[in-house]
Amino acid sequence: MRLRGQRPPMLPRHMQRLGRDWVAHWDSPQRFCWNSRISNSIRWVGRYSWAPYLSTGDFTVNWRPPRFFGPWRPPRFFGPWRPPQYWNWQPDNFTHNSSFHFSNPNMKSEGDEPSSKRRRHSGQNDVCSPNEEISSSNQNEAACLSIPPKNEEENTANTRGMIKRHWEYFCHHSKKMKILEDKQIDQNNTEDKGKFDFTVMSYNILSQNLLEDNSHLYNHCRRPVLIWGYRFPNILREIKHLDADVLCLQEVQEDHFGMEIKPSLESLGYHCEFKMRTGRKPDGCAICFKISKFNLISSNPVEFFRHDIPLLDRDNVGLVLLLQPRFHCKATSAVCIANTHLLYNPRRGDIKLTQLAMLLAEIASVAHRKDGRFCPIIICGDFNSVPGSPLYSFIKEGKLNYEGLPIGKVSGQEQFPRGQRILTIPIWPPSLGISQSCVYEVQQQRQEENTGGEKKESKLEHTEEIIIAAEKFPSKLQHRFRLSSVYSHYLPESGIPEVTTCHSRSAVTVDYIFYSAAKDDSAAQPGAEDTFDGGLKLLGRLSLLTEQDLWTVNGLPNEHNSSDHLSLLAQFRLIEQ
């Protein structure tokens, strides 16, 4: 019996008892009340995430008041007839394929996902939900991404729906625990031994302006979690908790950077460099580093837009910094850190490759040393390309023969690419001033001039051979760096893909941290054939998650993770080259 003034539930009691995974069917005709056409998978509009989904084909549904109200009797007061305020309207003539599906903001399994967000995981092993305990073998090295609540009483409520990520180390167990438990002590010890350890984060923080322009990507989110005033404290809390020595941020909105992001990070001991896009969209890339760990040698912005080259009509940018460690060590005295956000458009692989070549040319100019080698290099960013794509392979392997390559297959973002036009040879015009080796032609000419008189004579003797080779292989791109990816992109046990971004339309990997691996780096993946010693050893990384893991917390963004991208975090050691 309902108490006076208490609002009855939206659905009949017998439907509520059956829970959020129950599907109800009707096939018997009922009394006509109201007709309306409802399309596939329409979610009831409102600000509440618990509103049910209607999942069915295109059908006609009749609604009627519940039978237990009995015949209607007019009220005792005079006035127009009005139905009771809280009638429980019920659907009538549902067909066999009509159903209610109840959504939940903290979904726990694949079956709990909305019908529009379900993914096929056939043949894949189950992945533990983020609320499950980490296995005993990894429990000692687990580091929770989410920030602990201020009060212990809030622990249960605040950790619900949080995703858990753990550290994966590539070193001895005792050393691993020392790094995890007392990072500062370990840094002091490495300083005494002539070594230098540091951490680098790459994070696309989702510009508020771009979020609002692409709101269709976040239909699965509750409206309040998309507000910048809600998102920024979460992002800042995550950055503060992970405590990286270098931050490479993408989609940093200019006004937010000047008013909130930069002052907040400076209060945490960071120095910030920022490069905004050249067009109308007010976001860009930022690199921030702890002044207690590095000195800034140079800051070099890269603009990919060129008004005199029709191909380069997009406003993406990059930023390249040369940093010098403050601690004296036997290793090299500088590290090159690059950050970029390449064009998204899956059909314009020609622009993506050209932007990448421009970034590599700037890195080659900044990181080049007098002895002809390069200082250690770390390249972070959102490359809008998936693992195994031609663009990704070019970064890792140092070469790409693009002859006959369709323009829509460069980034691998689409299974059935729409842009089938073949890449032109060469991709960019000579007026760009960048060679097929991804270096500035002026710099390449200077290097050749400084090689000595004997090599100049040899160069003249073999000019004809060089011309013939250029005509024979005009479609080959290459670069001189030996780059490896911090992440392997697949779970080692099951082979399930890891993802770095997850929203209503897709869940893929597009964010990377590439580094110039040292010869003895056991974590370096097979890639470049060059024996160049990159001077960096990967000590550990913060684990990534699968698509299924992320949908257990309603995808991204959510209440605790305020970007549609996951942060990437790696720990490196500078070694003597």
Side-chain angles (χ1 to χ4, degrees):
M1 181 176 181
R2 183 168 56 87
L3 299 178
R4 183 181 300 275
Q6 180 181 352
R7 179 172 179 172
M10 294 181 62
L11 297 172
R13 186 181 303 274
H14 66 278
M15 290 179 61
Q16 295 177 22
R17 290 197 306 266
L18 294 176
R20 56 188 169 89
D21 285 329
W22 183 75
V23 177
H25 302 276
W26 289 269
D27 57 0
S28 58
Q30 300 290 344
R31 186 152 46 101
F32 171 84
C33 179
W34 176 70
N35 289 335
S36 175
R37 302 289 289 184
I38 302 180
S39 61
N40 265 342
S41 300
I42 297 297
R43 187 170 185 171
W44 291 358
V45 179
R47 64 178 63 181
Y48 299 103
S49 61
W50 43 257
Y53 280 82
L54 293 174
S55 300
T56 182
D58 195 16
F59 66 95
T60 301
V61 57
N62 298 333
W63 298 84
R64 65 173 175 81
R67 297 178 181 178
F68 54 78
F69 276 107
W72 170 252
R73 295 180 182 179
R76 297 182 181 180
F77 56 85
F78 292 94
W81 177 87
R82 295 177 181 175
Q85 183 179 1
Y86 296 126
W87 262 10
N88 283 328
W89 294 90
Q90 298 179 354
D92 277 350
N93 62 338
F94 270 68
T95 57
H96 277 287
N97 63 345
S98 304
S99 64
F100 277 107
H101 186 91
F102 299 89
S103 67
N104 189 316
N106 296 322
M107 296 181 289
K108 305 300 180 185
S109 65
E110 178 189 358
D112 297 332
E113 299 167 6
S115 58
S116 60
K117 309 296 182 299
R118 289 178 183 171
R119 305 288 191 267
R120 294 183 180 180
H121 298 285
S122 59
Q124 298 175 353
N125 298 334
D126 294 336
V127 180
C128 296
S129 66
N131 289 330
E132 295 180 7
E133 294 294 331
I134 301 177
S135 62
S136 57
S137 60
N138 296 330
Q139 191 171 10
N140 291 332
E141 65 183 45
C144 182
L145 172 65
S146 305
I147 309 305
K150 296 180 181 179
N151 301 322
E152 291 299 330
E153 294 97 9
E154 301 174 0
N155 185 58
T156 303
N158 287 359
T159 57
R160 181 181 304 171
M162 287 184 178
I163 57 177
K164 291 184 179 180
R165 301 168 64 183
H166 61 275
W167 275 96
E168 299 172 341
Y169 285 96
F170 302 95
C171 54
H172 192 267
H173 178 75
S174 60
K175 184 67 175 177
K176 168 178 57 181
M177 295 304 297
K178 188 173 184 180
I179 293 175
L180 179 65
E181 295 176 355
D182 202 337
K183 179 180 175 183
Q184 188 60 45
I185 293 177
D186 182 72
Q187 288 177 348
N188 294 336
N189 290 339
T190 57
E191 179 186 356
D192 296 337
K193 297 178 181 180
K195 299 177 182 178
F196 182 78
D197 296 352
F198 63 101
T199 53
V200 177
M201 171 192 282
S202 180
Y203 196 7
N204 184 327
I205 64 174
L206 179 57
S207 163
Q208 189 68 22
N209 181 271
L210 294 178
L211 182 153
E212 295 170 0
D213 289 346
N214 299 276
S215 58
H216 61 282
L217 300 179
Y218 313 106
N219 291 331
H220 62 285
C221 301
R222 295 173 59 245
R223 297 300 100 183
V225 306
L226 299 179
I227 301 173
W228 176 250
Y230 181 94
R231 295 176 53 231
F232 177 63
N234 274 353
I235 293 172
L236 183 62
R237 190 180 300 114
E238 181 177 353
I239 291 175
K240 185 176 180 180
H241 175 68
L242 294 178
D243 194 31
D245 298 315
V246 180
L247 305 175
C248 292
L249 307 178
Q250 305 90 40
E251 290 195 23
V252 180
Q253 194 162 308
E254 181 189 25
D255 56 341
H256 293 159
F257 177 77
M259 298 177 61
E260 298 173 271
I261 299 175
K262 182 178 180 181
S264 299
L265 293 180
E266 287 179 343
S267 67
L268 298 176
Y270 290 94
H271 172 83
C272 302
E273 294 287 326
F274 175 70
K275 174 57 183 175
M276 192 180 75
R277 283 209 263 185
T278 53
R280 297 180 178 179
K281 294 181 180 179
D283 70 281
C285 297
I287 300 180
C288 311
F289 60 91
K290 286 188 176 180
I291 57 178
S292 61
K293 297 292 292 284
F294 296 96
N295 288 323
L296 178 62
I297 299 178
S298 66
S299 177
N300 309 273
V302 185
E303 295 182 356
F304 297 144
F305 175 82
R306 298 292 176 91
H307 63 86
D308 57 335
I309 301 178
L311 173 67
L312 297 174
D313 60 348
R314 308 305 165 94
D315 299 302
N316 304 82
V317 295
L319 185 61
V320 182
L321 265 58
L322 193 62
L323 302 178
Q324 182 178 13
R326 281 185 174 270
F327 301 134
H328 296 289
C329 56
K330 296 179 181 179
T332 182
S333 59
V335 181
C336 181
I337 307 290
N339 184 23
T340 191
H341 188 178
L342 299 184
L343 176 71
Y344 165 76
N345 193 338
R347 293 167 289 175
R348 295 308 304 268
D350 53 346
I351 299 179
K352 292 174 187 280
L353 282 174
T354 306
Q355 290 180 347
L356 177 61
M358 295 172 71
L359 180 70
L360 294 174
E362 185 66 25
I363 294 173
S365 175
V366 172
H368 187 263
R369 303 193 312 187
K370 294 181 180 180
D371 60 0
R373 297 187 298 172
F374 297 99
C375 66
I377 297 167
I378 297 175
I379 308 177
C380 301
D382 181 345
F383 291 81
N384 278 313
S385 301
V386 302
S389 64
L391 187 144
Y392 173 88
S393 300
F394 171 54
I395 295 175
K396 287 192 59 180
E397 297 175 5
K399 57 185 179 180
L400 173 66
N401 189 350
Y402 60 89
E403 184 176 5
L405 179 63
I407 193 173
K409 291 186 177 181
V410 170
S411 63
Q413 293 166 282
E414 297 179 334
Q415 186 176 2
F416 304 101
R418 292 170 287 174
Q420 294 298 329
R421 180 167 60 88
I422 303 301
L423 287 171
T424 60
I425 302 175
I427 300 176
W428 57 82
S431 59
L432 182 60
I434 296 178
S435 70
Q436 298 290 291
S437 299
C438 297
V439 296
Y440 294 125
E441 291 183 341
V442 175
Q443 179 186 0
Q444 185 173 359
Q445 183 178 359
R446 289 176 180 174
Q447 292 176 9
E448 293 172 351
E449 291 175 353
N450 294 332
T451 54
E454 295 182 359
K455 290 189 176 181
K456 286 183 180 179
E457 294 179 1
S458 177
K459 175 184 174 184
L460 293 175
E461 293 176 359
H462 298 284
T463 299
E464 185 177 354
E465 297 179 6
I466 295 174
I467 294 175
I468 294 174
E471 291 176 353
K472 187 177 181 181
F473 304 102
S475 60
K476 183 177 180 181
L477 296 179
Q478 59 183 0
H479 64 77
R480 295 179 58 191
F481 310 128
R482 180 178 183 261
L483 298 175
S484 184
S485 173
V486 165
Y487 291 90
S488 56
H489 315 307
Y490 297 91
L491 296 181
E493 299 84 6
S494 61
I496 299 176
E498 299 170 332
V499 300
T500 64
T501 180
C502 179
H503 50 66
S504 297
R505 294 294 179 88
S506 66
V508 293
T509 288
V510 293
D511 306 277
Y512 304 95
I513 300 178
F514 296 104
Y515 69 103
S516 54
K519 290 182 179 180
D520 60 344
D521 184 12
S522 60
Q525 302 158 4
E529 297 177 357
D530 193 0
T531 59
F532 169 69
D533 190 343
L536 287 173
K537 185 174 183 179
L538 180 62
L539 300 181
R541 65 193 180 194
L542 187 64
S543 65
L544 288 174
L545 301 170
T546 67
E547 178 182 0
Q548 188 176 9
D549 293 332
L550 291 175
W551 279 118
T552 61
V553 291
N554 203 32
L556 297 173
N558 54 50
E559 283 75 7
H560 303 287
N561 303 88
S562 289
S563 173
D564 57 349
H565 292 249
L566 291 174
S567 60
L568 280 60
L569 183 63
Q571 186 174 26
F572 297 100
R573 171 169 294 169
L574 270 175
I575 63 174
E576 188 174 1
Q577 292 180 272

